[in-house]
Amino acid sequence: MQLNDQEIQRRNSLQELRKLGIDPYPAELFPVNVTTRKIKEEFDASPEKFKEVSIAGRIMNRRIMGKASFAELQDETGSIQLYIARDNICPGEDKTLYNTVFKKLLDIGDIIGVSGYVFRTKTGEISIHVETLKLLSKSLKVLPIVKEKDGKVYDSFSDPELRYRQRYVDLIVNPQVKETFIKRTQMVNAMRHFLSARGYLEVETPILQPLYGGASARPFKTHHNTLDMTLYLRIANELYLKRLIVGGFDGVFEFSKDFRNEGMSRFHNPEFTQVELYVAYKDYEWMMNLVEEMVEYVALQLHNTTKIPVGEHIIDFKRPWKRYTMYEAIQEYTGIDISNMTEEELVKTAEELGVKVDESMGKGKLIDEIFGETVEGNLIQPTFITDYPIEMSPLAKKHRSKEGLVERFEAIVNGKEIANAFSELNDPIDQRERFEAQLELGKRGDDESMVLDEDFLNALEYGMPPTAGLGIGIDRLAMIMTNSHSIQDVLLFPQMRPLKKKKEASIEDFTALGISPEWIPLLKEKGYDSPEAIRSAKASKLRNDLNGLRKKKKLKIPALSEEEVQAWIDKA
RNA sequence: GAUUCCGUAGCUCAGCCGGUAGAGCAACGGCCUUUUAAGCCGUGGGUCCUGGGUUCGAAUCCCAGCGGGAUCACCA
């Protein structure tokens, strides 16, 4: 492992600390009796409560001024300034703790615990006057230093790749990131509370499924050794939750991690979260009202208002939301009434509107494409779109009065679907026919069409009550509720392409060439990291590089002759 | 998958009509007991993503690769 100068420096400090009898990673607990937030919120009202505080956190900044210093201590809730005076933390003759430990051996990033009292400095900042200081964990890596003045951020740690790959660093140096994930959890908690309070049962259903269903998407495939069978990571949990409705639970929901083997983008991660809800004896009209109420409730819980800034827009979740049928929406945005068109007419219309079409598309898919292309992106404020073509919705009940449509709605916010729901199809014979129609689409080349699930049909044949079902994309909703530009910003650990790691040659690979061990680190430092690299080297250059480095590092090993180096190359 | 832009010190970036590297912060040494993007003086630190090409000479120009961003396409 190659260490840079500052990393070597910190490892040296670590050894120095041990020599002084200080354990850089002590085992015992450190008593914490306050948080930085509590101090900042309550000190002015009741300063007497903060005469003996004990607090722990990470050093984020240091300003050393001779016999006194200021430091920034960051805990989970925020940060506070420490005032550390030499003669306060070292009351006796021995000033080592201040002069050596604090000033020389501690670094930004170290985790410490301090005790003392809270006061205000001359410049008015609430600070802790430190009386005792203890190292709790030495940091060996250099943090990016983000500074801020008058709301302006300097040297921000903003490279998305680094932020996503090393989320822990992102969380340390970017406070607003922490805020986003707190909001996300609050959002899920609010929804859970909303649903539980209505008496619906939160359940867990299989993630590993022998058949994938309940949505149109390509799955991830895996294998169970003992059963010697293929299993799929679920793309949805719908069919399992409906089995539970058959079983007599009248309201069930699950926050479900689903997996879809599709492209990745700022709206798509291979694994994502949905909440699905099924309620017996209800229909999609009823469900629309629930969605409005729940999302409005979430907004109020998170922001104390229904108006939320998202990018350029202010989105208002106040009920009631606008409602359009799909045909009405298309007519509104294109001026074309497609409600009575044949498949040929739809293809022609789609092409006129600049919508791409291909052979595999049925009538429903064509309508859906036209909608997606011409309407969806324009729906910024929360809007319900109802009554979808039957071909696109094999699990939804036929519309009670409109031929060729189903009782389905989607909720669209900021140009993206956040919820999808329908009156669930409970006619087992109709359901079987719909699955078979999907199989036909599959033969036409639509590789996202659904497969036939016999056991699910078996459940329906026992009789499922009329049921309303709902799915809400948690990540999408979290993006809106936290004003995040991409899904990666609301996932703690978004999927990333793995870093290519060079396989490292072992010590033996080098010693086998007759190279003595003390030269190996120097070889690696100069980029000769494998026997192959040595084989293609020129003896004079290699010798020069190594002896140069030896001199620069003032190493007390004998210099190399060209013959020695040539011998390595010949062997390699 | 397509288009496009980017890859220089631990971090943020400058240098790019060719002459082998700079700034601020961070680090190191020194001064400083209420400062705050602390300050002042001094020092060290770089396979300029990788590989090839053009050239007397490449961080800079050309080609290929790797990695990443953005936009678009498919899926939630």
Side-chain angles (χ1 to χ4, degrees):
Chain A
M1 182 167 51
Q2 288 297 335
L3 298 176
N4 66 44
D5 276 2
Q6 293 189 45
E7 290 169 337
I8 291 166
Q9 187 67 39
R10 287 179 180 222
R11 279 172 161 75
N12 290 341
S13 295
L14 193 72
Q15 294 313 314
E16 291 301 314
L17 286 163
R18 288 212 161 96
K19 278 187 202 160
L20 289 169
I22 295 168
D23 181 353
Y25 303 102
E28 67 275 14
L29 66 81
F30 182 86
V32 172
N33 65 14
V34 73
T35 62
T36 60
R37 179 184 292 154
K38 189 173 159 76
I39 293 172
K40 291 198 166 172
E41 283 174 357
E42 299 177 21
F43 175 70
D44 281 326
S46 38
E48 72 286 350
K49 286 200 301 196
F50 301 99
K51 291 202 166 128
E52 287 177 27
V53 297
S54 183
I55 192 166
R58 194 183 291 277
I59 301 174
M60 296 304 286
N61 190 0
R62 282 196 307 174
R63 298 179 289 279
I64 295 174
M65 307 181 314
K67 296 181 191 67
S69 301
F70 290 91
E72 208 65 36
L73 185 82
Q74 176 171 295
D75 71 0
E76 189 186 354
T77 63
S79 67
I80 193 162
Q81 178 169 268
L82 304 180
Y83 175 71
I84 301 168
R86 187 190 69 184
D87 296 336
N88 284 296
I89 64 167
C90 303
E93 286 301 302
D94 180 5
K95 306 297 183 191
T96 309
L97 178 61
Y98 183 78
N99 287 340
T100 307
V101 177
F102 177 72
K103 275 169 66 174
K104 303 236 166 69
L105 301 180
L106 292 192
D107 293 289
I108 290 175
D110 290 352
I111 295 169
I112 61 170
V114 299
S115 68
Y117 60 88
V118 179
F119 75 113
R120 235 179 225 286
T121 61
K122 281 179 189 166
T123 48
E125 181 157 346
I126 296 173
S127 308
I128 298 176
H129 193 116
V130 175
E131 286 160 339
T132 71
L133 180 151
K134 181 180 182 185
L135 175 62
L136 301 178
S137 183
K138 179 77 190 152
S139 165
L140 299 179
K141 282 273 186 185
V142 184
L143 282 175
I145 310 290
V146 180
K147 295 202 169 178
E148 193 202 320
K149 189 183 188 183
D150 302 331
K152 192 163 180 235
V153 176
Y154 297 80
D155 297 342
S156 70
F157 179 64
S158 57
D159 180 348
E161 165 161 32
L162 282 170
R163 289 183 46 228
Y164 301 150
R165 287 193 197 278
Q166 302 191 44
R167 182 68 88 184
Y168 36 90
V169 176
D170 193 27
L171 287 165
I172 291 169
V173 304
N174 291 327
Q176 68 286 6
V177 172
K178 200 184 261 173
E179 197 49 44
T180 294
F181 288 103
I182 291 170
K183 278 261 184 305
R184 180 183 170 124
T185 297
Q186 286 172 342
M187 182 186 99
V188 172
N189 288 346
M191 295 172 90
R192 177 172 280 129
H193 175 261
F194 181 94
L195 296 173
S196 297
R198 277 160 182 71
Y200 308 139
L201 185 70
E202 183 168 8
V203 297
E204 294 178 275
T205 63
I207 293 170
L208 285 174
Q209 303 180 350
L211 286 173
Y212 59 95
S216 307
R218 282 172 293 173
F220 287 92
K221 207 172 167 179
T222 186
H223 184 260
H224 189 279
N225 290 342
T226 303
L227 295 174
D228 189 23
M229 68 181 290
T230 297
L231 288 171
Y232 300 93
L233 297 181
R234 70 178 166 203
I235 59 172
N237 55 357
E238 169 153 2
L239 302 186
Y240 283 93
L241 292 178
K242 285 199 275 202
R243 284 172 171 92
L244 296 177
I245 297 291
V246 170
F249 290 115
D250 285 345
V252 289
F253 68 96
E254 178 176 15
F255 286 91
S256 162
K257 191 63 106 48
D258 293 339
F259 304 83
R260 298 190 184 173
N261 208 339
E262 309 273 0
M264 289 164 64
S265 74
R266 75 184 178 92
F267 290 106
H268 301 91
N269 193 63
E271 53 183 293
F272 68 103
T273 307
Q274 293 198 80
V275 61
E276 290 200 31
L277 167 72
Y278 294 83
V279 184
Y281 311 113
K282 306 296 186 193
D283 65 5
Y284 79 134
E285 296 279 353
W286 176 90
M287 188 63 91
M288 248 187 286
N289 295 330
L290 179 135
V291 169
E292 271 182 345
E293 194 179 342
M294 177 160 68
V295 176
E296 184 193 65
Y297 171 78
V298 166
L300 286 168
Q301 287 291 302
L302 296 185
H303 299 281
N304 293 317
T305 169
T306 57
K307 293 189 172 71
I308 294 172
V310 180
E312 306 289 288
H313 307 288
I314 300 287
I315 291 178
D316 190 351
F317 287 99
K318 187 163 181 53
R319 287 181 287 167
W321 300 354
K322 260 189 273 178
R323 298 185 185 191
Y324 285 116
T325 67
M326 189 173 242
Y327 289 145
E328 284 168 0
I330 291 171
Q331 183 150 22
E332 171 103 13
Y333 283 90
T334 66
I336 302 170
D337 178 7
I338 62 165
S339 59
N340 293 310
M341 286 189 180
T342 61
E343 188 166 326
E344 291 77 49
E345 288 170 322
L346 285 169
V347 169
K348 192 160 162 285
T349 304
E351 282 168 345
E352 280 166 12
L353 290 167
V355 179
K356 280 185 207 146
V357 293
D358 69 58
E359 285 298 294
S360 75
M361 290 179 180
K363 199 174 160 187
K365 184 91 176 170
L366 286 164
I367 294 168
D368 194 55
E369 289 291 324
I370 291 170
F371 173 79
E373 195 67 31
T374 60
V375 181
E376 195 172 13
N378 295 315
L379 301 175
I380 302 303
Q381 296 301 323
T383 305
F384 287 118
I385 299 296
T386 61
D387 301 346
Y388 282 62
I390 192 164
E391 296 90 335
M392 293 303 297
S393 314
L395 299 164
K397 192 177 269 192
K398 281 178 185 149
H399 198 279
R400 62 195 74 182
S401 62
K402 297 176 189 165
E403 190 64 28
L405 301 180
V406 291
E407 298 207 344
R408 171 178 178 184
F409 72 82
E410 290 191 359
I412 296 173
V413 178
N414 202 29
K416 283 280 169 187
E417 172 196 341
I418 62 156
N420 179 15
F422 23 89
S423 301
E424 299 295 333
L425 177 56
N426 63 344
D427 173 343
I429 293 170
D430 188 359
Q431 181 68 80
R432 180 176 294 277
E433 287 167 1
R434 302 274 199 99
F435 276 143
E436 279 163 0
Q438 286 289 306
L439 295 179
E440 271 310 303
L441 282 179
K443 283 179 196 155
R444 283 174 71 166
D446 183 346
D447 58 5
E448 284 157 4
S449 60
M450 295 188 192
V451 295
L452 193 144
D453 186 335
E454 275 299 342
D455 181 71
F456 174 66
L457 290 172
N458 189 49
L460 284 193
E461 285 172 13
Y462 281 97
M464 183 173 85
T467 297
L470 166 73
I472 293 184
I474 293 294
D475 312 289
R476 293 274 174 90
L477 189 58
M479 283 170 67
I480 289 164
M481 290 292 173
T482 61
N483 192 9
S484 295
H485 179 70
S486 73
I487 195 169
Q488 286 77 18
D489 286 326
V490 298
L491 296 168
L492 281 167
F493 300 102
Q495 196 57 244
M496 302 288 285
R497 185 176 272 110
L499 289 172
K500 286 264 161 46
K501 58 177 170 222
K502 273 197 239 163
K503 63 169 192 289
E504 254 189 63
S506 67
I507 307 273
E508 289 71 34
D509 290 338
F510 290 104
T511 52
L513 306 180
I515 301 171
S516 60
E518 60 267 27
W519 286 106
I520 294 171
L522 305 189
L523 277 164
K524 287 187 178 172
E525 190 167 338
K526 274 288 170 190
Y528 302 96
D529 52 3
S530 66
E532 292 73 43
I534 292 171
R535 187 187 310 147
S536 53
K538 280 200 180 102
S540 54
K541 168 125 169 58
L542 180 53
R543 170 174 176 257
N544 213 15
D545 282 349
L546 292 177
N547 284 338
L549 199 57
R550 164 186 169 273
K551 189 171 179 187
K552 186 169 154 196
K553 294 200 164 208
K554 301 188 177 95
L555 297 175
K556 292 196 180 85
I557 49 179
L560 292 163
S561 69
E562 198 157 324
E563 290 72 38
E564 286 177 88
V565 175
Q566 189 61 51
W568 301 349
I569 294 170
D570 294 342
K571 265 197 165 174

